[in-house]
Amino acid sequence: MPKKVDHEARRLEIAEALWRIASTRGLDGVSLRDVAAEADISLGRLQHYFRTKDEMLLFALRHINTLADRRIRERVGALAASQGQDPPPRAVLRECLVGMLPLDEKSRVGALVGAAYFARAIHDERLRGEAREGIPKLAKFFADLLRKAQERGEVAAGRALDPYTEAMLLISLVDGLTAYTLLGVQTGEEAVGRLDAHLERVFGTGG
Amino acid sequence: MPKKVDHEARRLEIAEALWRIASTRGLDGVSLRDVAAEADISLGRLQHYFRTKDEMLLFALRHINTLADRRIRERVGALAASQGQDPPPRAVLRECLVGMLPLDEKSRVGALVGAAYFARAIHDERLRGEAREGIPKLAKFFADLLRKAQERGEVAAGRALDPYTEAMLLISLVDGLTAYTLLGVQTGEEAVGRLDAHLERVFGTGG
């Protein structure tokens, strides 16, 4: 096996150990040593791959986002297959947003790693960079879908907000719905119901 | 000074030390010993008031919520004084929601303690209880304001969602807007602009 692939595979194993801790007791106060123990390797070996907790967290977050992205693309792909090659923008947007909610084990672990990232990133300029780059990209993607829906007349008259504003509202909303689902304030089903009520208002009966 | 008051005052001093840490480096990995050092008391003395980090965090969170509640009541009171004894529900709701965003130092510290609470509460049944009790109460208060606005015809025709659903959407939205403001994805001003765009849609031109 080429050395580079081996290196990446080892980093993934360590990231998975981090996720297991994130999904059971959380990452507050978790040290590199704790993660090394969970991954069943020595601290020195772990530090060969990640020098700091933040480096490790960032890698784990990016990888989990890549997996989430892939899952969502698959769902959108399935939609394209069942609804024709060009599914309605509203349906694509809903698949993406529902895919961001913690409704199964994978998306739940993703949300928990995201929560650990958030708690640290608000105090760390470099970690914040990840959100400052990623969120506007996601918002732009959603804004393009909303613009397309408007152009096709799939948004009821008088409902259209500026697409980028609408996109940031949707991302913020899903973020809050995720938090209250993780806290057990609402069930996943209630979160989806609330998101759908909002989407119905965004698109009106035009969608 | 009665002993009970003294006890409460000392707990507040410790909570304030916790807030100072929350607003500078965050609470991830912070021990009781760190907080004792910041409060300039011994660890033993601190443990006389709080046995665990979670007890301390819960006390600090409740107190900061009480202070936030008081600030928002003052703002609503000022609104009542300037707009007559019965200000429009929409204006009261907006004061509450804007008051929840991290726009000044006090609300920012509140949001940071809230973020630290969130990161731990998702893994702790007892800590989650605080949100599971508090959020539905807040949602009920907002739902009552929305219902009042609907009854007064201050919500444009065809815009009304179920008030409790609307309230949970508003709370979730503000939660997400707070997160993205703390992460520097948007400015506080942009957060308020986005909230206002959403409120304009909720109330339409009837408000």
Side-chain angles (χ1 to χ4, degrees):
Chain A
M1 195 189 285
K3 212 172 171 196
K4 201 182 161 189
V5 173
D6 187 44
H7 190 86
E8 190 65 11
R10 192 50 65 97
R11 284 166 77 99
L12 283 180
E13 277 170 33
I14 297 168
E16 280 164 16
L18 185 80
W19 299 342
R20 285 196 296 278
I21 300 177
S23 66
T24 50
R25 64 187 176 101
L27 295 175
D28 184 47
V30 166
S31 64
L32 290 179
R33 191 179 295 278
D34 297 325
V35 181
E38 177 69 32
D40 204 17
I41 57 174
S42 72
L43 177 60
R45 185 109 186 104
L46 183 138
Q47 283 171 324
H48 178 67
Y49 296 101
F50 299 107
R51 276 168 310 161
T52 66
K53 181 171 169 181
D54 285 342
E55 259 184 25
M56 193 167 59
L57 185 60
L58 213 50
F59 177 83
L61 182 81
R62 282 177 186 155
H63 187 64
I64 217 157
N65 283 345
T66 304
L67 293 181
D69 197 57
R70 197 178 301 161
R71 277 201 314 278
I72 291 173
R73 275 173 205 277
E74 279 168 14
R75 291 174 61 160
V76 171
L79 204 65
S82 73
Q83 301 208 1
Q85 277 315 299
D86 199 10
R90 175 180 178 164
V92 176
L93 194 60
R94 183 179 183 276
E95 279 304 308
C96 295
L97 294 165
V98 171
M100 290 160 70
L101 291 173
L103 301 176
D104 57 23
E105 196 46 31
K106 280 178 187 164
S107 53
R108 200 182 126 81
V109 172
L112 291 172
V113 173
Y117 160 79
F118 171 63
R120 290 178 74 89
I122 47 181
H123 298 285
D124 185 290
E125 175 61 28
R126 204 177 138 252
L127 282 178
R128 273 201 301 279
E130 189 72 11
R132 268 218 302 275
E133 268 193 31
I135 299 299
K137 268 188 210 160
L138 183 62
K140 205 187 152 302
F141 173 65
F142 287 172
D144 287 344
L145 285 170
L146 288 158
R147 204 171 289 114
K148 209 195 235 183
Q150 286 175 12
E151 285 163 7
R152 292 185 180 190
E154 290 167 4
V155 177
R159 301 263 175 156
L161 286 189
D162 161 61
Y164 193 86
T165 301
E166 190 74 89
M168 281 302 296
L169 288 172
L170 284 167
I171 294 170
S172 302
L173 185 63
V174 166
D175 206 72
L177 288 173
T178 294
Y180 292 121
T181 306
L182 291 179
L183 288 171
V185 170
Q186 64 191 357
T187 64
E189 206 177 328
E190 284 169 333
V192 174
R194 284 161 188 165
L195 174 63
D196 278 335
H198 180 75
L199 285 176
E200 181 58 31
R201 175 170 48 202
V202 168
F203 288 92
T205 47
Chain B
M1 199 191 279
K3 213 175 170 192
K4 199 182 164 189
V5 174
D6 187 44
H7 189 85
E8 189 65 12
R10 192 50 65 99
R11 284 166 77 98
L12 282 181
E13 279 171 30
I14 296 169
E16 281 164 16
L18 184 80
W19 299 342
R20 284 195 297 276
I21 299 177
S23 66
T24 50
R25 65 185 176 103
L27 295 176
D28 184 49
V30 165
S31 64
L32 290 179
R33 192 178 297 278
D34 297 324
V35 180
E38 176 69 32
D40 204 18
I41 57 174
S42 71
L43 177 60
R45 185 107 186 107
L46 183 139
Q47 284 172 320
H48 177 67
Y49 297 101
F50 300 107
R51 276 168 310 161
T52 66
K53 183 171 168 180
D54 285 343
E55 260 185 25
M56 193 168 57
L57 184 60
L58 213 50
F59 178 82
L61 182 81
R62 282 178 186 155
H63 188 64
I64 218 159
N65 283 346
T66 304
L67 293 182
D69 197 58
R70 197 180 299 161
R71 278 202 312 280
I72 291 173
R73 273 172 205 278
E74 279 168 14
R75 291 175 61 161
V76 172
L79 205 65
S82 73
Q83 301 206 3
Q85 276 317 294
D86 199 9
R90 174 180 179 164
V92 175
L93 195 60
R94 183 181 184 276
E95 280 303 309
C96 294
L97 294 165
V98 171
M100 288 160 71
L101 291 173
L103 301 176
D104 57 23
E105 196 45 34
K106 279 177 187 164
S107 52
R108 200 182 126 81
V109 173
L112 292 171
V113 173
Y117 160 79
F118 171 63
R120 291 178 73 89
I122 47 181
H123 298 286
D124 186 289
E125 175 60 28
R126 205 177 138 252
L127 280 178
R128 274 203 300 280
E130 190 71 12
R132 268 219 302 276
E133 269 194 30
I135 299 299
K137 267 188 210 163
L138 183 62
K140 206 189 152 301
F141 173 65
F142 287 172
D144 287 344
L145 285 170
L146 287 157
R147 204 170 287 115
K148 209 196 234 181
Q150 286 175 11
E151 285 163 6
R152 289 185 182 191
E154 290 168 4
V155 177
R159 301 264 175 155
L161 287 189
D162 161 61
Y164 193 85
T165 300
E166 189 75 90
M168 279 302 294
L169 287 172
L170 284 167
I171 294 171
S172 301
L173 184 63
V174 166
D175 207 71
L177 288 173
T178 294
Y180 293 121
T181 306
L182 291 179
L183 289 172
V185 170
Q186 63 190 359
T187 63
E189 208 177 325
E190 285 168 332
V192 174
R194 283 159 189 167
L195 174 63
D196 277 335
H198 180 75
L199 285 176
E200 182 59 29
R201 175 170 47 201
V202 169
F203 287 93
T205 47

